[in-house]
Amino acid sequence: MAVPIDTAERRLGQAIAALGTNGFAACFYAWLRHGLDCDNATMLAYFQDRRPEILYVCAAATEVHENLENAYLPGAYLLDPFHDLHVRKVPPGLYRLREIAPDAFTRNEYYAAYYRATTLIDEIAYVSYPAPGVSVHVCLGRDAGSGRPFSAGNIGLARKLEPIARELCIRQWSALTSSGDYADATIAGRVIAAMRARHAISLSPRQAEVALLILRGHSSVSIGLRLGISPQTVKVFRRQLYRKCNISSTAELFALVMPLLSEPPPKTGPAPTPDAA
Amino acid sequence: MAVPIDTAERRLGQAIAALGTNGFAACFYAWLRHGLDCDNATMLAYFQDRRPEILYVCAAATEVHENLENAYLPGAYLLDPFHDLHVRKVPPGLYRLREIAPDAFTRNEYYAAYYRATTLIDEIAYVSYPAPGVSVHVCLGRDAGSGRPFSAGNIGLARKLEPIARELCIRQWSALTSSGDYADATIAGRVIAAMRARHAISLSPRQAEVALLILRGHSSVSIGLRLGISPQTVKVFRRQLYRKCNISSTAELFALVMPLLSEPPPKTGPAPTPDAA
DNA sequence: GGGTATATACCCCCAAGGGGGTATGATGGC
DNA sequence: GCCATCATACCCCCTTGGGGGTATATACCC
């Protein structure tokens, strides 16, 4: 038999042929993996109004998958730098974790409690928007098995493939729908509501916003840059926050707020009254 | 009917009568609670060679109990300041958490991940040794519901009752047995073995010892005092430890080592050879 | 015997968190 | 109109962690 002269094209063809079927993601990944030297893939859809959905997971260690189900999807995703891209509605394209991660990322609690268990040492993601309010992330990772991060060549190639990958994602997942609209303020609102309900602590919007950024692994300086305020002011919010919560460290903040993130978001509409029909 | 003139004595009598039966712990607690203003009780037995056993738990929130089963008993207990009393074989008596807790206790990971969920704000424990190698701790707590720690009067009374409490514990639980003998070095050895097996990282005894103390919430200064070495030296061990583990923060150390503590201890005997009969 | 690992101790530096103040507008409720 | 709250910003301080060195004595293994 003749050796296929261009496997990449053949695989791309297969992926295109599989568009609209359940087999697409696997073919898609087969194509990507052929060109890019990665160990695993996770495809996720983020929405405005509900938790993310797994579109595809390349069979990895079961414990990683468990973590995904038990920690990430219920709430930890809200601290994920990639999810932050969705919130910020960044342009579609290729993003690399180490470039978008907060400055103190590897020493924050999200990283220690969740991300580290994935053993991923490098991760890139194609971000696309197949429908209004819906982000699809195709995450390709290199784990401890490989030992080394993506090479510059790999990154370059991944960037070249991006338009095709984006187009495929948009076609495949255009049927996904979301409603509502949220920015970080929405998540902060959720934290405020949960803190009031569960701990009888009333946070100001700004305090909640700062709390989230702290939990994501931003330093005070980084938070200041993000919010356009002085780091000194961030420190004040932090102090007020700690005082209200009766805590004195980031670790405690994490233990206090993390469980709240897993709670279902309140019904649409701010401050619903109990007697609403 | 005549009102019992001395309820405390009557309850003590009931507890004594219940010695040797399953109902003892409840009667014992009823007596203690009558005099001491506490919200809950947990009675635990610590051994040399296996995980602790629950002797009695005053029905608290289910989530606290879950935490006990899912986190504390499998391994988190190894980071508990109370368990440390068992390891150090302190004299029997009454101990208060806030007095024995490491300096950085409330900002360490054990506290954030486990202890804080108990909502306990003050905790005292009667420590007794009913059998060789067996410690029984009768822990009385005040939780967020009470809002305030134990009063000085309560502590004083608790101290007065200690000889009786100790005697009762010794009589009730003298049948518990343990074997082997361990100090902190044993736990460190377990960490070393697990680190080698699971992560192919070989730690020196001292490095493992420092790791454990860090995880328990000791600062470098506190560790230095405990080990009788300079804080500077502690920092060196810390650096070596982090370098070997390829991490750069306490949070990561916790995420790395915590799961290992839940693993069963290696078979008795130091460094068993595979070909030993 | 010589190299390696370990334990010990000191030096330096910097970043960051945490806690204490004070001050000034804006906003909104009573 | 006044007071409380919030957001903003600056000042001060100290502790801690984390990382970079260097040095010495011991101990163990090849």
Side-chain angles (χ1 to χ4, degrees), chain B residues 1-275:
Chain B
M1 311 171 192
V3 173
I5 43 170
D6 195 344
T7 323
E9 251 182 35
R10 191 172 53 92
R11 295 197 183 183
L12 177 55
Q14 286 172 342
I16 293 173
L19 271 170
T21 72
N22 285 337
F24 167 76
C27 293
F28 183 34
Y29 179 44
W31 170 61
L32 288 169
R33 194 180 35 189
H34 177 254
L36 304 173
D37 192 14
C38 62
D39 299 319
N40 57 67
T42 311
M43 308 191 193
L44 289 165
Y46 295 106
F47 305 92
Q48 307 290 347
D49 52 353
R50 60 183 189 277
R51 63 160 65 180
E53 278 176 25
I54 300 178
L55 302 174
Y56 176 75
V57 174
C58 163
T62 57
E63 55 186 5
V64 170
H65 198 267
E66 269 176 24
N67 231 325
L68 197 57
E69 288 282 358
N70 299 335
Y72 189 82
L73 293 183
Y77 74 91
L78 291 167
L79 304 180
D80 183 359
F82 280 124
H83 175 257
D84 197 38
L85 298 178
H86 165 67
V87 173
R88 283 157 52 202
K89 300 185 178 61
V90 299
L94 181 74
Y95 292 86
R96 190 175 189 179
L97 180 60
R98 56 181 59 190
E99 280 159 15
I100 62 168
D103 50 355
F105 180 60
T106 61
R107 56 194 60 176
N108 88 336
E109 312 289 330
Y110 168 80
Y111 177 83
Y114 170 75
Y115 193 83
R116 196 163 211 287
T118 65
T119 76
L120 287 167
I121 55 175
D122 199 1
E123 200 176 3
I124 56 179
Y126 292 116
V127 174
S128 58
Y129 299 94
V134 179
S135 299
V136 163
H137 289 197
V138 174
C139 308
L140 306 174
R142 284 175 62 87
D143 61 27
S146 297
R148 276 196 310 276
F150 284 109
S151 67
N154 255 289
I155 299 290
L157 178 55
R159 226 172 273 286
K160 279 210 196 77
L161 301 180
E162 195 274 328
I164 305 173
R166 190 204 308 182
E167 185 60 28
L168 288 173
C169 287
I170 291 174
R171 288 203 198 165
Q172 171 69 15
W173 287 298
S174 60
L176 293 173
T177 58
S178 179
S179 68
D181 181 63
Y182 78 8
D184 249 20
T186 316
I187 308 177
R190 204 189 289 183
V191 170
I192 292 172
M195 282 295 285
R196 197 191 321 272
R198 305 266 296 190
H199 299 290
I201 293 171
S202 118
L203 299 180
S204 82
R206 211 50 158 173
Q207 286 159 358
E209 218 173 345
V210 168
L212 273 173
L213 289 168
I214 292 172
L215 293 183
R216 291 204 187 110
H218 291 271
S219 67
S220 293
V221 173
S222 167
I223 294 172
L225 287 172
R226 174 76 164 264
L227 299 181
I229 59 179
S230 147
Q232 294 288 345
T233 308
V234 175
K235 287 185 63 177
V236 174
F237 287 128
R238 195 183 213 124
R239 274 217 310 279
Q240 294 165 341
L241 174 68
Y242 285 10
R243 193 164 37 77
K244 277 187 178 173
C245 296
N246 196 28
I247 58 177
S248 61
S249 71
T250 311
E252 289 176 79
L253 183 67
F254 187 82
L256 191 66
V257 175
M258 188 65 190
L260 304 180
L261 296 179
S262 308
E263 297 190 357
K267 293 287 160 278
T268 315
T273 48
D275 51 329

Side-chain angles (χ1 to χ4, degrees), chain A residues 204-206 229-230 232-233 236-237 244:
Chain A
S204 81
R206 212 49 159 175
I229 58 178
S230 147
Q232 295 288 345
T233 308
V236 174
F237 287 128
K244 277 187 177 174

Side-chain angles (χ1 to χ4, degrees), chain A residues 2-62:
Chain A
V3 174
I5 44 171
D6 194 346
T7 323
E9 250 180 36
R10 191 172 54 93
R11 295 196 183 182
L12 178 55
Q14 286 172 341
I16 293 174
L19 272 170
T21 73
N22 287 337
F24 167 76
C27 294
F28 183 34
Y29 178 45
W31 170 62
L32 287 168
R33 194 179 35 189
H34 177 255
L36 305 174
D37 193 13
C38 62
D39 298 318
N40 57 67
T42 311
M43 307 191 193
L44 289 165
Y46 295 106
F47 305 92
Q48 307 290 347
D49 51 354
R50 59 183 189 279
R51 62 158 66 180
E53 278 175 25
I54 301 179
L55 302 174
Y56 176 76
V57 174
C58 164
T62 57

